[in-house]
Amino acid sequence: MKFRRNLFARLNAGLAAVFMLIVIIYWLSHRQTTEVIQREIRQSNLQKLQLMKSDMDFKIEQMVSFSMILLNDSTVRQFASIPIDRMSYDQMVIRRAIQDKIVFQENISPQWKSSFAVYSTFNRDMLAAEFSSYDEEELRKNVTVHWTLRPDRKGGRSFYKYISDSIMHAGDPKDASVIIEAAFPESNIRTLLNQEALHGRGETLLYDPATGDWISSGGADEELTTSILSQLARKVDRQTGETFHYALDSGEGKYAVTGVRSATLGWYIVDCTPLKEAMKPLGKANAFFYTVLVGLFALTLLMSFALHRNVLTPLKKLIGGLRSVQFGDYGVRLKWESDYQFSFVFERFNDMTRRIRELIEHVLMEQLRAKDAYVKQLQAQINPHFLYNCLGFIINMTEMQNSKAVVAMAHRLSDYYRYMTRTDVGTVTLREELELVRNYLDIQQMRFPRLDYDIDVAPEAEALDVPRLIVQPIVENAIVHGVARSARPASIRIAGGTEGKRVWLTVRDNGRGLDEQRLFRLQQTLQLQEEPEVGYGLWNTAQRLRMAFGDEAELTVAQAAEGGVVVRLEWTNGSAKSAETAERRRQE
């Protein structure tokens, strides 16, 4: 019977299910409470913003109403339609009367600064409280029937709106005889936002969804304002409606963002309220609940342990011993007390692991001897392949009476077999292996004068140990199946280095390459455990690489950028030395 099916496991599972059910119920209750609190915060913020919006819209509508009154004023009509010399007494009286009305209106509310100007397109004249300069080009450029924010004459920014006695087609002021300019500075909005900031925590700003422009209070948190603006462009849609709300998660915590659209400006008043303070009491309740829950859980575990200590402890030891055996540790031994109820089981377990270890050591030695014979067989299968090519070249050069090529090939072949006959050494340094590759490529250059090669391997990689003949078969494969069948200049590039504990080596050619189907079949062949029918050379090298460096070593094949094939060998640094040590011990 498995341990998970006994009474102790069932009891613990039942207790865990009860605790889990309690946590789930409390979590659902907590989520509902959180939603209610956040909904109340949104409603409160919405009411606050509605009052602020109403106050701002009322003051702006007052400005529009005065502009309409000013538009229909008789003195304004006279100023706009009767051609009178500006220096005449009547004209001065009219201008003075209009200026008095404008000044009076501008000084009605000290908290809300405003300015008005009257344009007469007929007389090409302009009248305001502080200046009088008519510029038709500037008027044509800036005139709009909606409130717009742009730079003003004092170096700041102001909202402007123009009201005329007729419809201005395409914004042409010539279509109207009189135009009233109403404006208020950006500082009015900042004053409202600063007043709102004094009564709350967080940020309040005015945002234009059409242009992305915004106005914040004087003491605004730049980081929080940036977080708000980064999401407003996505969250606020012009078709959204009069209000919106969403949750903002910034680096300082979570915030409730609420917005109300101003009917006069078309901008949104946006408020960002931190939820941390509002949720603090709920957080304390959560901490108290989880503290009590943890205490109950600890008490339950203590009682459960006290009830089953005579069964749980030996079973844990036995299960731990079995898991050690499962992961290959057959030297594990279980200790017990003299009056232990499980002493017989532990004694039989120790006897079993001792017998298994002796059997495995015996089988392992047999496998190591078989593996050693298999490696030597794989190396022996590589040698004839290269020898046949060299002998074929010597025969051809002899028939062509090219004695220099024959002598050079003989010397190269002699050096090659001097290296090959060192059967007493299973591993060499990568530098020695690359010298063999250079010797081999020199021979191939005799056969193919169009062949060019380059070897660029880091010195720290060259000093590492590798199995003999691990690189040469790949280079030979690149020449025979790659560049030898191409009429263009052939190139072989060998590169290598280290990346941390990993060592890599690539052999790249510019031959005809492989199509996708043949490349896929070759990649599948390299993963086979048994000897394949095709792709034997690379499979042979891959098998020897894994035998030397373990399963982490890999050989991959891919298309090269210059049109050929690139073969990459990669293994973990240090494995070769261990492999050589193990081999020497087997030979001893």
Side-chain angles (χ1 to χ4, degrees):
M1 181 178 64
K2 295 184 179 180
F3 178 71
R4 65 173 180 269
R5 294 181 181 177
N6 60 28
L7 180 61
F8 180 77
R10 294 175 185 174
L11 178 61
N12 285 342
L15 292 174
V18 171
F19 277 103
M20 185 63 67
L21 183 61
I22 294 175
V23 171
I24 292 175
I25 293 175
Y26 182 80
W27 176 78
L28 293 174
S29 175
H30 169 73
R31 187 177 67 173
Q32 186 68 24
T33 305
T34 302
E35 291 178 355
V36 171
I37 294 176
Q38 293 181 356
R39 183 165 59 248
E40 291 298 324
I41 292 175
R42 288 197 298 267
Q43 292 296 331
S44 176
N45 291 342
L46 185 61
Q47 292 177 3
K48 176 181 66 176
L49 294 180
Q50 290 285 6
L51 291 174
M52 183 178 176
K53 183 206 76 162
S54 300
D55 183 30
M56 183 180 67
D57 287 350
F58 175 74
K59 293 176 180 178
I60 295 175
E61 287 173 357
Q62 278 187 326
M63 295 180 60
V64 176
S65 298
F66 176 74
S67 299
M68 296 298 297
I69 294 173
L70 200 61
L71 181 67
N72 296 301
D73 189 87
S74 59
T75 55
V76 173
R77 289 293 181 181
Q78 292 178 8
F79 168 75
S81 59
I82 301 176
I84 303 177
D85 184 10
R86 178 179 298 184
M87 301 305 296
S88 68
Y89 176 77
D90 292 337
Q91 183 71 352
M92 293 178 63
V93 171
I94 292 173
R95 295 172 65 89
R96 183 63 180 177
I98 296 175
Q99 284 182 329
D100 289 343
K101 295 177 181 179
I102 293 176
V103 171
F104 176 77
Q105 181 65 30
E106 290 179 353
N107 294 327
I108 285 180
S109 177
Q111 292 81 13
W112 185 268
K113 299 177 182 179
S114 62
S115 62
F116 299 90
V118 180
Y119 292 85
S120 172
T121 59
F122 177 74
N123 289 322
R124 301 178 61 81
D125 196 3
M126 184 270 248
L127 186 60
E130 298 180 356
F131 59 93
S132 178
S133 176
Y134 183 86
D135 188 340
E136 183 176 349
E137 184 64 27
E138 182 180 358
L139 182 63
R140 185 193 305 274
K141 178 181 177 181
N142 296 325
V143 67
T144 175
V145 296
H146 302 289
W147 288 101
T148 57
L149 181 63
R150 60 180 174 83
D152 55 25
R153 301 176 181 88
K154 297 181 180 180
R157 296 196 306 174
S158 296
F159 285 89
Y160 289 88
K161 181 181 178 66
Y162 294 86
I163 302 173
S164 67
D165 58 351
S166 65
I167 299 176
M168 292 182 291
H169 299 284
D172 191 351
K174 292 182 178 180
D175 296 334
S177 61
V178 58
I179 300 174
I180 306 299
E181 177 190 270
F184 63 90
E186 182 183 14
S187 60
N188 288 356
I189 303 297
R190 293 191 184 276
T191 301
L192 286 177
L193 297 178
N194 287 332
Q195 292 175 356
E196 183 61 31
L198 294 176
H199 300 288
R201 303 176 182 176
E203 300 296 337
T204 306
L205 55 88
L206 196 67
Y207 175 75
D208 184 8
T211 63
D213 203 354
W214 54 278
I215 302 173
S216 64
S217 60
D221 187 342
E222 294 184 2
E223 184 177 352
L224 179 58
T225 302
T226 302
S227 299
I228 298 173
L229 293 173
S230 64
Q231 295 191 16
L232 276 177
R234 300 191 303 269
K235 297 290 186 179
V236 181
D237 191 343
R238 298 187 66 179
Q239 305 299 326
T240 298
E242 297 299 321
T243 63
F244 68 87
H245 61 82
Y246 64 91
L248 171 66
D249 192 359
S250 68
E252 300 179 357
K254 292 185 178 181
Y255 293 81
V257 181
T258 309
V260 176
R261 186 174 183 272
S262 170
T264 55
L265 293 181
W267 291 42
Y268 280 91
I269 305 176
V270 182
D271 177 83
C272 184
T273 302
L275 297 176
K276 181 178 180 180
E277 293 298 326
M279 304 300 293
K280 185 177 293 184
L282 188 59
K284 292 182 178 179
N286 289 342
F288 177 75
F289 170 79
Y290 287 117
T291 301
V292 173
L293 188 65
V294 170
L296 291 175
F297 185 72
L299 182 60
T300 302
L301 288 181
L302 182 61
M303 294 175 62
S304 177
F305 175 77
L307 182 62
H308 298 283
R309 60 183 178 179
N310 293 327
V311 177
L312 177 62
T313 302
L315 285 179
K316 282 187 175 181
K317 288 185 177 180
L318 184 58
I319 291 175
L322 292 174
R323 286 178 177 173
S324 299
V325 173
Q326 180 183 0
F327 290 107
D329 183 10
Y330 298 102
V332 63
R333 296 294 183 268
L334 300 180
K335 298 180 180 180
W336 66 91
E337 300 175 2
S338 57
D339 58 345
Y340 215 56
Q341 298 177 0
F342 283 79
S343 58
F344 176 78
V345 177
F346 286 2
E347 185 178 356
R348 299 284 74 79
F349 175 84
N350 292 340
D351 184 63
M352 176 192 70
T353 55
R354 181 171 55 255
R355 291 178 179 272
I356 292 177
R357 183 174 182 178
E358 293 175 356
L359 179 61
I360 288 178
E361 289 178 352
H362 177 73
V363 174
L364 180 61
M365 293 304 298
E366 293 295 331
Q367 290 179 346
L368 290 177
R369 284 191 287 269
K371 177 181 176 180
D372 183 57
Y374 182 57
V375 170
K376 292 182 178 180
Q377 178 188 3
L378 293 176
Q379 291 182 351
Q381 291 173 348
I382 294 175
N383 298 336
H385 186 66
F386 177 65
L387 176 61
Y388 298 153
N389 290 336
C390 293
L391 292 177
F393 176 81
I394 291 175
I395 293 172
N396 292 336
M397 291 298 101
T398 302
E399 292 176 351
M400 298 173 60
Q401 297 182 355
N402 189 344
S403 59
K404 291 183 179 180
V406 172
V407 172
M409 175 62 75
H411 281 298
R412 292 287 188 271
L413 196 59
S414 174
D415 293 339
Y416 174 79
Y417 272 99
R418 185 179 295 110
Y419 179 89
M420 291 293 297
T421 53
R422 296 174 57 189
T423 56
D424 58 325
V425 179
T427 58
V428 296
T429 62
L430 183 57
R431 183 179 293 105
E432 294 175 306
E433 181 72 8
L434 293 177
E435 286 298 325
L436 174 68
V437 171
R438 289 188 181 92
N439 189 18
Y440 172 79
L441 289 173
D442 289 340
I443 295 174
Q444 295 298 344
Q445 277 187 329
M446 297 178 190
R447 298 178 59 204
F448 306 104
R450 58 186 176 84
L451 174 64
D452 175 50
Y453 73 89
D454 177 67
I455 300 177
D456 182 15
V457 179
E460 60 271 17
E462 288 186 341
L464 300 177
D465 291 334
V466 296
R468 289 194 316 123
L469 296 178
I470 200 68
V471 183
Q472 189 271 346
I474 300 177
V475 177
E476 181 179 359
N477 191 74
I479 292 177
V480 174
H481 299 288
V483 299
R485 301 184 181 184
S486 176
R488 62 179 180 175
S491 175
I492 300 293
R493 295 290 180 263
I494 302 174
T498 59
E499 297 176 357
K501 294 185 178 181
R502 297 290 286 177
V503 186
W504 61 273
L505 188 73
T506 59
V507 179
R508 187 186 306 268
D509 67 76
N510 66 340
R512 62 178 184 175
L514 299 172
D515 55 42
E516 293 184 0
Q517 186 175 5
R518 293 178 59 194
L519 180 61
F520 176 77
R521 287 201 304 265
L522 181 57
Q523 292 171 342
Q524 294 295 319
T525 299
L526 295 177
Q527 304 302 321
L528 297 177
Q529 297 297 328
E530 299 180 355
E531 183 177 322
E533 296 180 0
V534 294
Y536 173 78
L538 288 179
W539 177 86
N540 187 352
T541 303
Q543 290 296 315
R544 296 177 61 233
L545 190 69
R546 293 191 187 99
M547 289 180 181
F549 298 105
D551 293 336
E552 293 184 358
E554 57 181 355
L555 184 149
T556 58
V557 182
Q559 292 284 8
E562 54 270 23
V565 173
V566 55
V567 179
R568 181 182 178 92
L569 292 81
E570 189 172 352
W571 65 91
T572 300
N573 186 13
S575 299
K577 185 176 181 180
S578 300
E580 181 181 7
T581 302
E583 182 174 355
R584 289 177 178 176
R585 288 179 178 177
R586 292 196 302 270
Q587 292 177 355
E588 292 174 357

